[in-house]
Amino acid sequence: MKIFKIMVKVIVYYLLIINIISFLIYGIDKWKAQHNRWRVPEWFLIFLALIGGSVGALCGMYILRHKTQHVKFYILVPLILILQVIGFIYLFWLPSQMS
């Protein structure tokens, strides 16, 4: 049980950090777009959502109003978030209900 608590704590810290990074990268890309600078590749922005930064990506999209007109972003990022939430429920909540 102690290992499980440590694992959950590590995952929570990881998710917090990756979502902050994701939000910041969306902000940097928005700034670069406004200043005609080299841009962050779209695949990397989607990748950040895939590795756990989907909340930060979604916040970056709607708070910063960035990439909200691109179909691949307004469909994929919320879909990734939904799948991640389902995965976390399956991994963490369901096993505790079965014991």
Side-chain angles (χ1 to χ4, degrees):
M1 192 60 145
K2 188 174 182 180
I3 295 269
F4 181 75
K5 287 183 180 180
I6 292 170
M7 184 175 70
V8 169
K9 197 175 207 179
V10 168
I11 290 171
V12 167
Y13 284 130
Y14 169 77
L15 289 174
L16 183 64
I17 291 166
I18 195 65
N19 279 289
I20 290 169
I21 290 169
S22 183
F23 182 80
L24 291 174
I25 297 293
Y26 271 73
I28 289 167
D29 190 52
K30 171 80 176 197
W31 182 87
K32 287 182 173 198
Q34 292 171 335
H35 292 87
N36 295 320
R37 306 279 182 161
W38 172 85
R39 303 284 303 279
V40 176
E42 288 186 347
W43 68 265
F44 187 72
L45 296 172
I46 296 291
F47 176 73
L48 287 170
L50 278 171
I51 62 170
S54 54
V55 172
L58 209 54
C59 289
M61 286 174 60
Y62 290 102
I63 291 172
L64 304 172
R65 296 187 181 131
H66 189 52
K67 298 290 188 186
T68 57
Q69 301 297 312
H70 296 255
V71 174
K72 94 170 88 167
F73 283 90
Y74 74 75
I75 298 292
L76 274 180
V77 173
L79 180 63
I80 290 168
L81 176 59
I82 290 167
L83 293 174
Q84 288 172 344
V85 168
I86 291 169
F88 286 120
I89 289 170
Y90 179 76
L91 286 173
F92 296 110
W93 185 72
L94 284 180
S96 68
Q97 297 300 311
M98 292 183 177
S99 53

